[in-house]
Amino acid sequence: MTNALGEYLRELRGKESLRSVSERINGRLSHSYISDLEKGVSRRGTPINPTPEALKILSEAYNVKYDKLMSLAGYLDKEGHADQKQLNQKQLTVAAHIDDDVTENEMNEILNFIDFIKNRDHNK
């Protein structure tokens, strides 16, 4: 992910606090996770790749087009089509991070991403 997504999310949030955004979306994303997305890196210092589900939640929270966030995150190319190279790399990244210290929330995000991949062609 380029920092373009993080900058855009920060701009959308404006002066609203991270905690307020998290509360407004009923805690579906934590304030620390939203902060990580805005910075473009996780608390571990590694690049962060938001799941399509997280982007959907944020698109609803900020009342912006889901496709715009998907594009900024690298899931869609300039024409709005799925970027297979990017998706394949993200799948490898997800698979590499499935280990014993995955939290329940992280595992849910992984499963949501897998569902997105499996179902995207069925929803056309």
Side-chain angles (χ1 to χ4, degrees), residues 67-87:
D67 288 353
K68 168 88 173 176
L69 298 183
M70 289 288 285
S71 180
L72 287 170
Y75 287 106
L76 302 177
D77 62 19
K78 291 179 183 178
E79 290 80 38
H81 301 105
D83 183 341
Q84 290 300 315
K85 182 179 177 186
Q86 183 72 11
L87 287 173

Side-chain angles (χ1 to χ4, degrees), residues 64-111:
V64 296
K65 292 188 176 199
Y66 176 58
D67 288 353
K68 168 88 173 176
L69 298 183
M70 289 288 285
S71 180
L72 287 170
Y75 287 106
L76 302 177
D77 62 19
K78 291 179 183 178
E79 290 80 38
H81 301 105
D83 183 341
Q84 290 300 315
K85 182 179 177 186
Q86 183 72 11
L87 287 173
N88 291 338
Q89 182 59 44
K90 290 183 185 301
Q91 287 172 310
L92 291 174
T93 301
V94 168
H97 286 91
I98 298 177
D99 55 24
D100 292 339
D101 68 348
V102 173
T103 67
E104 184 176 336
N105 189 40
E106 291 168 335
M107 184 55 74
N108 285 334
E109 289 181 6
I110 291 166
L111 295 173

Side-chain angles (χ1 to χ4, degrees), residues 7-93:
E7 291 171 9
Y8 185 64
L9 291 174
R10 175 66 183 102
E11 182 181 314
L12 290 171
R13 184 169 57 85
K15 294 184 179 187
E16 185 177 7
S17 74
L18 292 164
R19 288 184 191 273
S20 174
V21 173
S22 180
E23 289 171 5
R24 191 161 48 83
I25 57 175
N26 299 316
R28 292 184 290 165
L29 300 175
S30 70
H31 69 279
S32 57
Y33 181 70
I34 298 168
S35 175
D36 290 350
L37 292 178
E38 288 182 4
K39 293 174 189 169
V41 294
S42 71
R43 286 160 278 178
R44 298 177 188 141
T46 58
I48 189 163
N49 296 311
T51 64
E53 179 64 25
L55 296 172
K56 182 70 172 164
I57 292 167
L58 290 169
S59 75
E60 293 168 0
Y62 294 130
N63 196 28
V64 296
K65 292 188 176 199
Y66 176 58
D67 288 353
K68 168 88 173 176
L69 298 183
M70 289 288 285
S71 180
L72 287 170
Y75 287 106
L76 302 177
D77 62 19
K78 291 179 183 178
E79 290 80 38
H81 301 105
D83 183 341
Q84 290 300 315
K85 182 179 177 186
Q86 183 72 11
L87 287 173
N88 291 338
Q89 182 59 44
K90 290 183 185 301
Q91 287 172 310
L92 291 174
T93 301

